[in-house]
Amino acid sequence: MADQLKSGAEIVLKALADQGVEVIFGYPGGSVLPLYDEIFKQNQIRHVLVRHEQAAVHAAEGYARSTGKVGCVLVTSGPGATNAVTGLTDAMLDSIPIVCLTGQVATHLIGNDAFQEADTTGITRQCTKHNYLVKKSEDLARVIHEAFQVASTGRPGPVVVDLPKDILIKDAPYMPPNRVKHKSYKPQIKGDIKSIEQAVEIIANAKRPIFYCGGGVINSGSQASQLLTQFVKMTGYPITLTLMGLGAYPASDPQFLGMLGMHGTYEANLAMYECDVMVAIGARFDDRVTGNLAEFSPNSTKIQIDIDPSSVNKNVAVDLAIIGDVGHVLEDMTKIWKAKQARVDREALKVWWDRIDAWRGRDCLAYEPSDSIIKPQYAIQRLYELTKDKNTYITTEVGQHQMWAAQYYGFEKPNRWMTSGGLGTMGYGFPSSIGVQMAHPDALVVDISGEASFMMNMQEIATAVQYRLPVKVFILNNMYMGMVRQWQELLHGGRYSESYSEALPDFVKLAEAFGAVGLRASKPEDVDDVIKEMIAVDRPVLVDMLVDQSENCYPMIPSGAPHYQMILGPADKEANAISKEGAILV
Amino acid sequence: MANGSTAQEPGIETHTISVLVDNESGVLARVTGLFSGRGYNIESLTVAEVDTQEHLSRITLVTSGTPMVIEQIKAQLGRLVPVNKVSDLTVEGPHVSRELALVKVAGTGEKRVESLRIADIFRANVVDSTNDSFIFEIVGKTEKLNAFIALMEPLGLVDVARTGVVAIARGGDAL
């Protein structure tokens, strides 16, 4: 079959359609006009016009994380591309599949400091899984198909394709996806069977086991979460999840110990410290999880399952590593467990659960309730109670509200929780919620936010209004950058340097100015009514929840401390003063 | 620069790693950016295309770190999309490594004669000569080059250019 010639821009759109792209988040500009012209001429792919390129990437991340598909971004050259860098880095750190098309000046102008020229592949090399500069129209189809393959397979991540304007105009033949095969890129999917057999043996013989699972389980697809849940239930062992892993195992199940790490639960962190066998699945021993490395789970045999060999033995040396896709490995592990008729040590497990239940008895998430002032924890608890039976998706910004959301909102299923874990990007949650709502038009999408984070990307209210996306922004407004204030209280003598917002907008009026709906709650008795109204309104809503300004997020492992040194509440603060070494690690 | 005689911290090992990459634009920047971004050492790095049909380049790099860091370096290299193969020659059996240097020595009289005598002992070739200078070409292991250059120092050493190490495994197998 003789391939018909198409313009570069036509090839790009055709390749995106063949890759199953339903929606592009983007912002036009000079160098991408040929692509915008093609978008105008077709009806298959929708385009969402954001108000800032960073938001385009976060929206694509929300879309990707809530669907498991690749998120697609289109921005112009120069400032369009540089504005996207924070989003790309965010996707890189959280392993989110994104294909970001960036415009570029015409090939003959590259290197001339042309108008809106930036060395996009140079700038994004370290914050993408891979990037391409397409120099011939003939390469376009192959590169775009490859970009989707690289972004979505192995450990997922963002891929940038830089598109000079002349390449988008010249004609070339199209090539369908099935004719593209990368010559060097081959991620390992299946785990080594011998190692999996060894793992089953170690797991079955454990006396004080724990499963420690992360975002890799979510990235492996919803099947992986089901397999994980089955396997963990089969063993009867306790499980803890990282911030990125929430939803991989049902939060309401008694075997779930809650999130671990710096603001994790007492029982999860102590179980990690005291365990004799740790099974790390799709988790990367991040510094916010491990605390002091020298005292991290000192007496355990560690098994790690991960698709990325560079995640193994990076921070913590493990005894047995299985490289492969979590879903595939769990499937093999379940088969081998059943075939071997593996039995767990019931007596030892009983003793272990007794200890865990004693730790649970401390009720580490308890807080001082109040009749007069809204406690942020209370607001999230009420939000959870009033939305848990609906088809709800939660995104967050970064800071105290994010940790409270992780602690008090229970996730039963994967892909329901979108948060910036690795990079910690304030301003992530609101654009992300727009991407989620685009993918799930009938769902209830709530961005649990702080007032400072929200203001980092609040221009996107216009996007939500334009596309009639009824996203809800649930602002826990304490007028401080709360986590900064908390650290200043604990580490810097209560000198609240630049963490108080002297001037804040009236969020209700702000919402109205954009054509959205604004609601406010200032007393605990208002909380339920406001949440119910927020749910009932079928339009974008900003909720200004005026919460306790001095509340701190507990429990907390002071940075640099080991898992057993947790601050459980305000009364514990003095006893666990943070060392200078710890302060460096903040 | 590679220097076998430098005293190292305990636990720090020097490894020679061969990396076969697609010879495409930016691939070297990906490798060097990985090292600078993650704070790894590069003691020496050489690169050239070795397969003109498949457009494959071979990078030989000498790096140092703890065994855990060396393992990370290899895993991180393997993660780069255009990387076809990573091979740690230091752990994967015996290998041959060579480096080439061009060494310029200026002087007259006895020093000039002495430099020529030492060059002869080291089997260095004279590739350029004026009445008061020589350029020697010397090939060998890093240590040999270091020794030669050190001996030239008092004899009027004015300039050195070194290629960095290239290395290949002994025996009949390909990378």
Side-chain angles (χ1 to χ4, degrees):
Chain A
M1 187 186 78
D3 287 312
Q4 235 188 327
L5 293 183
K6 293 176 187 297
S7 77
E10 280 178 278
I11 291 172
V12 171
L13 263 285
K14 172 90 174 109
L16 295 182
D18 283 355
Q19 288 293 341
V21 173
E22 299 162 326
V23 55
I24 300 173
F25 302 92
Y27 202 102
S31 67
V32 285
L33 284 177
L35 278 173
Y36 273 87
D37 203 34
E38 286 309 316
I39 288 173
F40 187 83
K41 291 182 200 161
Q42 55 86 52
N43 280 321
Q44 192 176 351
I45 300 175
R46 292 188 66 188
H47 179 273
V48 173
L49 174 67
V50 295
R51 277 15 182 211
H52 187 288
E53 288 88 349
Q54 183 194 348
V57 187
H58 293 327
E61 286 185 272
Y63 175 90
R65 291 178 66 162
S66 65
T67 60
K69 297 181 197 165
V70 177
C72 191
V73 178
L74 171 58
V75 297
T76 194
S77 62
T82 55
N83 275 347
V85 166
T86 300
L88 293 168
T89 314
D90 190 90
M92 183 69 177
L93 268 282
D94 283 349
S95 308
I96 309 301
I98 298 290
V99 169
C100 177
L101 309 178
T102 55
Q104 183 55 276
V105 299
T107 46
H108 70 275
L109 290 172
I110 289 178
N112 282 1
D113 296 329
F115 178 64
Q116 293 197 327
E117 181 187 357
D119 175 10
T120 301
T121 47
I123 290 167
T124 61
R125 200 169 282 131
Q126 305 305 325
C127 65
T128 53
K129 183 172 172 186
H130 195 49
N131 62 16
Y132 298 86
L133 169 62
V134 184
K135 287 185 177 162
K136 291 200 301 259
S137 302
E138 289 72 18
D139 293 340
L140 267 175
R142 175 184 61 80
V143 167
I144 294 204
H145 295 319
E146 258 185 40
F148 275 83
Q149 190 203 351
V150 170
S152 61
T153 56
R155 180 176 179 176
V159 177
V160 161
V161 183
D162 203 21
L163 301 166
K165 194 172 183 181
D166 53 327
I167 302 304
L168 295 175
I169 293 169
K170 275 185 211 141
D171 289 341
Y174 180 70
M175 185 198 282
N178 54 18
R179 271 196 258 161
V180 173
K181 211 170 184 188
H182 199 282
K183 57 177 176 173
S184 56
Y185 175 75
K186 292 176 205 84
Q188 189 174 339
I189 304 298
K190 293 285 273 183
D192 174 52
I193 291 291
K194 277 234 165 67
S195 305
I196 298 175
E197 282 174 350
Q198 238 180 305
V200 165
E201 177 114 7
I202 296 168
I203 295 169
N205 288 322
K207 311 279 180 218
R208 303 184 308 279
I210 187 159
F211 285 95
Y212 146 54
C213 308
V217 181
I218 313 264
N219 273 338
S220 180
S222 54
Q223 179 79 8
S225 296
Q226 280 172 26
L227 285 162
L228 174 73
T229 306
Q230 279 169 21
F231 193 84
V232 172
K233 285 196 175 159
M234 201 159 65
T235 59
Y237 291 175
I239 174 171
T240 178
L241 294 172
T242 67
L243 180 71
M244 292 297 294
L246 296 178
Y249 189 89
S252 60
D253 189 89
Q255 279 168 252
F256 180 54
L257 305 187
M259 181 176 77
L260 82 163
M262 186 173 269
H263 294 288
T265 66
Y266 188 63
E267 51 270 30
N269 285 328
L270 282 188
M272 286 289 280
Y273 183 76
E274 298 278 348
C275 68
D276 75 335
V277 170
M278 176 189 299
V279 190
I281 306 180
R284 61 183 176 90
F285 296 91
D286 174 83
D287 57 279
R288 285 300 191 261
V289 156
T290 60
N292 186 339
L293 274 177
E295 292 197 71
F296 174 72
S297 194
N299 302 312
S300 59
T301 303
K302 297 175 186 73
I303 301 170
Q304 186 176 3
I305 304 169
D306 205 291
I307 199 159
D308 178 5
S310 75
S311 283
V312 176
N313 292 332
K314 184 169 64 182
N315 305 326
V316 172
V318 297
D319 302 281
L320 176 63
I322 301 169
I323 305 299
D325 168 60
V326 164
H328 284 81
V329 173
L330 279 169
E331 199 178 346
D332 286 338
M333 213 148 125
T334 309
K335 274 188 205 148
I336 291 167
W337 182 279
K338 285 179 177 163
K340 286 195 166 179
Q341 299 186 314
R343 297 246 178 288
V344 305
D345 184 340
R346 298 249 160 250
E347 269 174 54
L349 192 57
K350 166 89 177 57
V351 176
W352 180 226
W353 271 115
D354 285 346
R355 289 184 70 190
I356 291 172
D357 287 338
W359 295 326
R360 257 185 184 160
R362 293 288 296 264
D363 194 10
C364 68
L365 293 181
Y367 58 91
E368 198 77 36
S370 166
D371 293 336
S372 54
I373 191 159
I374 303 172
K375 289 285 181 176
Q377 300 95 324
Y378 172 76
I380 292 178
Q381 278 179 324
R382 293 313 303 156
L383 179 73
Y384 172 61
E385 290 302 328
L386 295 168
T387 60
K388 66 178 178 183
D389 297 326
K390 300 185 185 301
N391 181 17
T392 309
Y393 291 78
I394 300 288
T395 71
T396 78
E397 311 289 342
V398 170
Q400 285 182 321
H401 68 272
Q402 177 191 30
M403 292 298 113
W404 283 317
Q407 290 171 337
Y408 296 94
Y409 202 101
F411 294 92
E412 301 297 305
K413 286 189 274 190
N415 306 103
R416 298 283 169 155
W417 163 248
M418 275 50 63
T419 195
S420 172
L423 192 64
T425 312
M426 291 170 73
Y428 166 85
F430 180 41
S432 175
S433 72
I434 288 174
V436 175
Q437 189 83 72
M438 277 303 293
H440 310 277
D442 302 322
L444 173 64
V445 184
V446 184
D447 168 31
I448 298 178
S449 180
E451 80 292 337
S453 282
F454 175 67
M455 287 183 70
M456 283 213 182
N457 265 323
M458 65 176 186
Q459 76 284 346
E460 297 306 318
I461 311 172
T463 309
V465 170
Q466 177 174 341
Y467 296 92
R468 299 169 195 272
L469 300 171
V471 292
K472 321 296 181 191
V473 185
F474 193 75
I475 302 172
L476 300 179
N477 183 354
N478 59 6
M479 301 175 78
Y480 277 98
M481 290 150 223
M483 197 57 98
V484 173
R485 190 201 53 69
Q486 175 166 345
W487 282 107
Q488 287 172 334
E489 180 183 321
L490 296 173
L491 285 157
H492 298 282
R495 292 177 295 279
Y496 299 128
S497 177
E498 303 296 324
S499 56
Y500 180 71
S501 298
E502 292 280 350
L504 283 171
D506 177 328
F507 287 105
V508 174
K509 283 189 185 155
L510 180 77
E512 285 162 2
F514 274 97
V517 175
L519 301 171
R520 181 171 291 125
S522 51
K523 292 189 204 72
E525 59 265 32
D526 302 339
V527 171
D528 275 27
D529 289 345
V530 165
I531 293 173
K532 283 178 192 159
E533 196 180 343
M534 171 191 92
I535 297 167
V537 176
D538 189 26
R539 285 168 60 194
V541 180
L542 289 192
V543 172
D544 187 16
M545 207 34 79
L546 301 175
V547 298
D548 188 347
Q549 293 190 1
S550 59
E551 191 67 22
N552 284 339
C553 185
Y554 296 112
M556 173 176 172
I557 301 176
S559 51
H563 276 161
Y564 57 84
Q565 264 178 36
M566 296 193 81
I567 307 177
L568 287 179
D572 252 6
K573 208 165 59 181
E574 305 303 320
N576 283 294
I578 295 166
S579 66
K580 237 188 194 145
E581 292 73 33
I584 295 167
L585 295 166
V586 171
Chain B
M1 225 167 28
N3 188 342
S5 59
T6 309
Q8 285 185 331
E9 293 171 51
I12 301 288
E13 299 173 356
T14 299
H15 284 233
T16 304
I17 297 171
S18 278
V19 192
L20 203 59
V21 300
D22 294 337
N23 184 15
E24 61 183 37
S25 143
V27 67
L28 188 58
R30 280 180 217 287
V31 171
T32 54
L34 171 68
F35 277 73
S36 59
R38 292 188 182 265
Y40 306 142
N41 295 316
I42 299 182
E43 298 190 356
S44 129
L45 184 146
T46 64
V47 58
E49 189 168 82
V50 291
D51 184 335
T52 47
Q53 293 205 312
E54 295 284 315
H55 297 293
L56 295 174
S57 289
R58 184 175 177 129
I59 297 174
T60 307
L61 53 89
V62 180
T63 182
S64 61
T66 61
M68 214 158 144
V69 167
I70 299 281
E71 195 193 337
Q72 262 298 299
I73 289 173
K74 289 185 275 182
Q76 293 289 353
L77 285 167
R79 207 155 82 113
L80 298 176
V81 170
V83 166
N84 289 253
K85 185 137 205 257
V86 179
S87 175
D88 186 343
L89 296 176
T90 303
V91 297
E92 287 166 21
H95 65 279
V96 182
S97 73
R98 289 291 181 271
E99 197 180 346
L100 182 146
L102 296 173
V103 181
K104 189 183 283 186
V105 179
T108 52
E110 187 48 36
K111 283 187 174 177
R112 181 169 162 84
V113 177
E114 179 64 9
S115 71
L116 205 56
R117 216 176 285 143
I118 292 170
D120 194 40
I121 296 167
F122 277 78
R123 292 187 214 165
N125 297 319
V126 176
V127 291
D128 179 69
S129 175
T130 66
N131 285 336
D132 54 4
S133 74
F134 286 125
I135 298 174
F136 298 110
E137 170 207 80
I138 179 168
V139 176
K141 288 194 172 183
T142 297
E143 294 78 10
K144 176 178 164 179
L145 269 58
N146 290 343
F148 180 72
I149 291 162
L151 287 171
M152 288 298 135
E153 189 89 37
L155 303 177
L157 180 75
V158 289
D159 223 352
V160 179
R162 293 171 74 150
T163 57
V165 173
V166 291
I168 201 159
R170 288 185 188 272
D173 295 331
L175 177 66

